[in-house]
Amino acid sequence: MISTSLQTFQETLSVPPTLIPSSPQWINFVEAMTSGPFATYAKNSIIITLSIIVIQFLVMIPAAYAFAKYEFFGKNVLFALVLIAFMMPGQVTFIPIYLMMADWGLIKTLIPQILPFMSNAFGIFLLRQYFMQIPEEIIEAARLDNASEFKIMWKIMTPMAKPALATIALFSFVSHWNDYFWPLVMTDSNEVRPLTLGIAMLKQSEGISNWHIIMAGNVVLVIPILIVYLLCSKQIVKAFVYSGIK
């Protein structure tokens, strides 16, 4: 991908394929980012991805804490529903969700790309397992100090689960930053399309397969994922070591 992004159009068509460009064509990146409303696509991707991660954390942390540290009626049934949601493919539900969003008049907004992903079943499962390994004595000590349940959850449990949260954030970021199917179904204008659709439209707008431009766009698309991975990599290893998965 990187090699093709630096080649000329003729080199991308050569047989056998060229691995090392004769002269790196950095102009390909400029063309990729000026072939359409690239800034709008990037802004939409950032808003969609960060909004999903923040909302998921607000929903996931209390849910995982309740499943891990509380006993209540219907707990096992509710957790079974979480596991079913975890295993269910997203394509199964896209038609009813699309019809619902269309009835609400939200198709031309960013909301249909955020709202269906407010909860994260995998995140609830992983975080619950992490919370269950935190000793009860820590929670009891906090309660003896008159700490509220809300304070215990956000000030004690959440910081201790930082590796698990970093892992979930990375998985969620990669999944929604790279998502192509859902935005393709839910959008009908450039104003609300994310970067993945914008890169795919480079091929359509040029009429022919200008793979050097398309690959330059893909390199730009991948860079944020690499940055987030480098920032989270140490925490991911800690999460799997602590949870005994490694």
Side-chain angles (χ1 to χ4, degrees):
M1 182 174 68
I2 295 175
S3 174
T4 305
S5 70
L6 295 173
Q7 295 178 9
T8 62
F9 175 69
Q10 290 74 20
E11 284 177 321
T12 62
L13 301 178
S14 63
V15 179
T18 301
L19 180 60
I20 300 176
S22 58
S23 176
Q25 302 295 308
W26 300 106
I27 190 69
N28 293 344
F29 291 92
V30 177
E31 289 189 31
M33 290 187 284
T34 56
S35 298
F38 195 88
T40 301
Y41 296 145
K43 180 195 70 176
N44 292 338
S45 287
I46 293 171
I47 292 174
I48 292 167
T49 307
L50 294 184
S51 298
I52 289 173
I53 293 174
V54 171
I55 295 173
Q56 283 183 349
F57 275 22
L58 295 176
V59 173
M60 177 179 61
I61 293 174
Y65 181 56
F67 280 126
K69 297 299 181 183
Y70 285 94
E71 293 297 331
F72 53 89
F73 178 75
K75 173 182 173 180
N76 293 333
V77 175
L78 290 175
F79 190 66
L81 292 176
V82 172
L83 295 180
I84 292 173
F86 175 35
M87 293 180 283
M88 185 177 294
Q91 289 80 0
V92 173
T93 59
F94 87 87
I95 291 179
I97 292 178
Y98 176 83
L99 294 176
M100 184 170 62
M101 295 296 169
D103 287 341
W104 292 351
L106 299 175
I107 294 301
K108 294 185 178 181
T109 69
L110 296 176
I111 295 176
Q113 300 178 69
I114 300 173
L115 197 60
F117 304 104
M118 288 176 59
S119 63
N120 183 339
F122 166 73
I124 293 174
F125 171 76
L126 183 62
L127 199 57
R128 169 186 174 271
Q129 300 303 110
Y130 208 89
F131 280 160
M132 288 177 68
Q133 297 182 56
I134 297 177
E136 289 288 341
E137 289 77 8
I138 295 177
I139 299 175
E140 293 300 327
R143 286 172 179 160
L144 289 175
D145 287 339
N146 294 323
S148 64
E149 294 300 314
F150 181 83
K151 188 174 182 180
I152 293 173
M153 181 180 67
W154 289 107
K155 298 292 186 180
I156 298 176
M157 302 292 283
T158 301
M160 294 180 70
K162 187 178 175 182
L165 293 172
T167 303
I168 296 166
L170 175 64
F171 287 168
S172 185
F173 182 89
V174 173
S175 173
H176 296 292
W177 182 265
N178 281 334
D179 195 7
Y180 179 83
F181 173 77
W182 196 264
L184 182 65
V185 172
M186 292 291 173
T187 61
D188 60 0
S189 66
N190 286 336
E191 285 72 22
V192 293
R193 284 180 175 138
L195 204 53
T196 46
L197 291 185
I199 299 299
M201 292 179 69
L202 287 175
K203 182 178 179 181
Q204 299 174 7
S205 62
E206 296 294 335
I208 57 176
S209 298
N210 286 328
W211 292 112
H212 57 309
I213 305 297
I214 297 170
M215 290 302 163
N218 284 328
V219 169
V220 175
L221 183 66
V222 168
I223 288 175
I225 295 175
L226 296 177
I227 294 174
V228 173
Y229 173 75
L230 292 174
L231 293 175
C232 298
S233 58
K234 290 184 179 179
Q235 297 296 332
I236 293 172
V237 173
K238 289 181 181 178
F240 286 113
V241 170
Y242 193 85
S243 62
I245 296 175
K246 185 177 179 180

